[in-house]
Amino acid sequence: MKPEHPDDPRRVASLIRSSGLELVRLSWCDTHGMLRGKTLSAEAAIRALDSGVSMVSTLLLKDTSDRTVYRVFEAETAAELHGLGHAGNVQLMPDPNSFRILPWADRTGWLQCQPLLADGQVAGFDTRWQLQRALARLAERGLGLRCGLEVEFHIYKLLPGDRPADRDPRLAAWPGPAPEVELIHPGYNLLSEALFDQAEAPLRIVQRTAEALGLPLLSLEIELGPSQVEAVFDVTDALQAADNMVIFRSAVRQALRREGYHATFMCRPPFAHIMSSGWHLHQSLDQLATGANSFARPAPLEGSGPLQAGHWLSEIGCAYLAGLLSHARGMTLLCTPTVNGLGRFRPHALAPQHILWGHDNRGAMLRVIGGPGDRATRIENRLGEPAANPYLYMASQIYAGLSGIDARRVPPQATTNPYGEHQPDGHTLPTRPADALQALLDDPVLRAGFSQGFLDYYGRIRASEQARHAAAEDTLEFERREYFNRI
């Protein structure tokens, strides 16, 4: 349950007491899009509404294996980390408007938090704050970002057993083994009603969990791959959409696990004959004063044809589109951060390979949907994977799009052959992790938007994961433990 407008801490305190809650989880989204935090007694949580709760600062410095990347006890490192050294504390401050009652946990509430440093300043490495900064840049121009979520993921049935591999103390490791699973549907029958019926039990858990949390779920669908499904959410403002993505992933994993299922937002699960999952981000800019869609146009640009962006998008929409194209290589790692996910960029896989746009073309990286007279006109970015940190994914769109608007860029013609072999240099997405990281660090617009300090920090964390993956004797087992088991 998400109550209406509980932004006053006193109202949240009253709800905690009147609902008979015993525990409240104070959660924060880490660099990898995973929820962490502390679970407090009801009365302690009420006090924390004003004062927050302490959390060890090293949680901002972890890679995907939960290892701390920085040597936090060295003086030079402590100075570099701006208040996060020596494994000291940050203060998690709850957002009262985020309060929910968890539908799967007994008498348990939930609050989303952001970390503050000891001096009361916002922790600059917090990814939600990074999106808030980007949205403030948009707001200065009277614009807001609206996003709709289209999220593919996989659900498996946990195999029964007295001692599953991931619970066997003799097999405990860092990170631990992945669970043993079986399919919930055999796949290769897209949108099949019969397969939906076969997979209805876990999908009902997803539906009821999302709706009980107040998430704007529109549909649940059978995707092409074995055990692959898709959830589609209605459009909201960008910060709400990012928050929704964070709690949705965490909630369905927890609710399904209690019922004997395993959900994973890993792009390419470690089995033969699977299909990669994408997270397609639908986006448009609206006028904050009127709510009007700034991408929509009443009629095609005079003299334009269907291969020109001005035939479908407003002038600001065309420039935003051009900005996304210009910074696609740099934003790749923010949209598809894992080594596993970069393997999705291949021909004829309903995933992008080249930096192109098309009108209603699912092979292009950017799919323009709608056109003259359509108030729902938007751009769908098909670059992302479902494990992406949503705050960084969306912030990257803002900075890239604004650069196009500021420079009044004009996009090239639309593609009619998105997997064509002959593309200009620099028009192919990076598929090697090191190349994707370097493209991000070299992008001047993203460096200015996020700040050099944040990108250095983010790059160091991603480089740690990439180095361990490259050094692994069995990279498939690495991905089972680090992605399939945890994401």
Side-chain angles (χ1 to χ4, degrees):
M1 178 187 76
K2 184 179 183 184
E4 291 288 328
H5 310 298
D7 50 345
D8 184 341
R10 291 170 298 179
R11 294 178 63 188
V12 176
S14 178
L15 282 167
I16 291 173
R17 291 189 176 114
S18 64
S19 301
L21 300 185
E22 296 178 352
L23 299 172
V24 180
R25 300 180 187 178
L26 271 63
S27 292
W28 160 76
C29 177
D30 76 1
T31 309
H32 310 288
M34 297 170 59
L35 285 176
R36 300 176 184 264
K38 293 189 175 182
T39 300
L40 305 185
S41 68
E43 289 302 317
I46 288 170
R47 293 194 296 271
L49 287 167
D50 293 320
S51 59
V53 63
S54 61
M55 179 186 78
V56 62
S57 61
T58 54
L59 287 175
L60 283 92
L61 309 174
K62 302 285 189 184
D63 64 15
T64 49
S65 73
D66 226 47
R67 290 173 170 85
T68 301
V69 172
Y70 289 80
R71 297 180 182 273
V72 295
F73 297 109
E74 295 181 359
E76 296 81 0
T77 304
E80 176 188 354
L81 290 175
H82 310 294
L84 301 179
H86 308 303
N89 282 341
V90 293
Q91 201 73 1
L92 288 183
M93 295 303 300
D95 175 3
N97 199 44
S98 70
F99 176 72
R100 290 172 166 88
I101 296 176
L102 299 183
W104 68 88
D106 183 39
R107 286 177 283 188
T108 301
W110 185 89
L111 283 161
Q112 185 165 17
C113 302
Q114 286 185 259
L116 300 182
L117 301 177
D119 61 3
Q121 298 298 308
V122 173
F125 295 160
D126 175 51
T127 58
R128 191 172 190 259
W129 184 70
Q130 288 290 332
L131 176 57
Q132 290 168 325
R133 287 179 66 241
L135 289 168
R137 287 271 302 275
L138 270 181
E140 291 170 358
R141 302 154 188 258
L143 297 171
L145 179 65
R146 303 276 290 173
C147 294
L149 311 181
E150 185 180 327
V151 187
E152 297 167 352
F153 61 108
H154 290 78
I155 302 174
Y156 296 91
K157 179 71 174 175
L158 291 167
L159 290 180
D162 294 334
R163 185 177 286 176
D166 61 335
R167 300 292 184 88
D168 188 337
R170 297 169 300 179
L171 301 178
W174 186 4
E180 297 178 353
V181 298
E182 63 184 13
L183 302 174
I184 63 165
H185 72 76
Y188 304 112
N189 204 341
L190 181 66
L191 297 182
S192 164
E193 183 175 324
L195 292 193
F196 185 96
D197 193 71
Q198 183 175 327
E200 183 178 12
L203 289 174
R204 283 285 191 176
I205 296 170
V206 174
Q207 170 230 324
R208 290 167 180 156
T209 301
E211 291 179 348
L213 291 170
L215 306 183
L217 179 70
L218 293 178
S219 69
L220 291 170
E221 302 170 7
I222 295 296
E223 265 297 332
L224 182 59
S227 247
Q228 189 180 39
V229 299
E230 180 179 74
V232 179
F233 295 88
D234 203 359
V235 62
T236 67
D237 68 87
L239 186 61
Q240 186 62 63
D243 290 345
N244 288 347
M245 182 65 170
V246 167
I247 194 171
F248 173 73
R249 288 189 303 210
S250 182
V252 298
R253 283 176 60 85
Q254 293 176 57
L256 284 166
R257 181 78 188 210
R258 287 179 177 232
E259 300 299 326
Y261 296 94
H262 178 76
T264 180
F265 292 84
M266 176 185 186
C267 180
R268 298 176 53 78
F271 307 110
H273 311 299
I274 55 90
M275 297 292 290
S276 299
S277 290
W279 169 15
H280 305 148
L281 185 64
H282 295 251
Q283 56 192 294
S284 62
L285 298 181
D286 64 345
Q287 297 287 335
L288 293 179
T290 65
N293 183 349
S294 293
F295 286 1
R297 63 179 312 130
L301 180 68
E302 185 176 354
S304 67
L307 295 183
Q308 293 174 281
H311 193 80
W312 312 104
L313 292 169
S314 68
E315 183 178 348
I316 195 172
C318 290
Y320 187 94
L321 175 71
L324 295 181
L325 292 169
S326 296
H327 299 281
R329 286 183 61 85
M331 73 169 66
T332 295
L333 199 65
L334 298 171
C335 306
T336 295
T338 69
V339 176
N340 173 268
L342 292 172
R344 172 172 158 262
F345 304 140
R346 57 184 64 185
H348 306 289
L350 287 176
Q353 182 186 23
H354 302 298
I355 301 170
L356 303 166
W357 78 273
H359 183 258
D360 201 13
N361 188 326
R362 284 183 167 86
M365 186 191 89
L366 300 176
R367 175 187 173 215
V368 174
I369 303 169
D374 186 348
R375 290 181 295 178
T377 296
R378 60 198 185 275
I379 297 170
E380 175 193 7
N381 192 338
R382 300 175 63 84
L383 182 57
E385 67 169 330
N389 180 305
Y391 304 111
L392 300 182
Y393 189 172
M394 294 179 193
S396 73
Q397 309 302 281
I398 293 171
Y399 291 131
L402 277 179
S403 76
I405 293 171
D406 289 344
R408 297 187 176 182
R409 289 185 180 274
V410 177
Q413 286 195 345
T415 182
T416 56
N417 185 18
Y419 297 117
E421 295 182 3
H422 303 292
Q423 297 294 338
D425 291 342
H427 279 242
T428 299
L429 292 169
T431 56
R432 293 181 11 158
D435 293 342
L437 176 55
Q438 195 60 52
L440 171 61
L441 297 177
D442 289 345
D443 190 298
V445 165
L446 297 177
R447 190 167 62 243
F450 286 101
S451 83
Q452 183 67 51
F454 179 82
L455 286 193
D456 287 346
Y457 150 81
Y458 184 76
R460 184 162 175 174
I461 288 178
R462 294 260 71 97
S464 172
E465 172 199 337
Q466 293 176 7
R468 288 186 299 97
H469 184 275
E473 293 183 9
D474 184 342
T475 56
L476 191 63
E477 182 62 18
F478 176 102
E479 295 184 10
R480 283 194 189 97
R481 290 171 179 260
E482 201 136 325
Y483 302 144
F484 184 70
N485 196 28
R486 299 163 66 88
I487 292 177

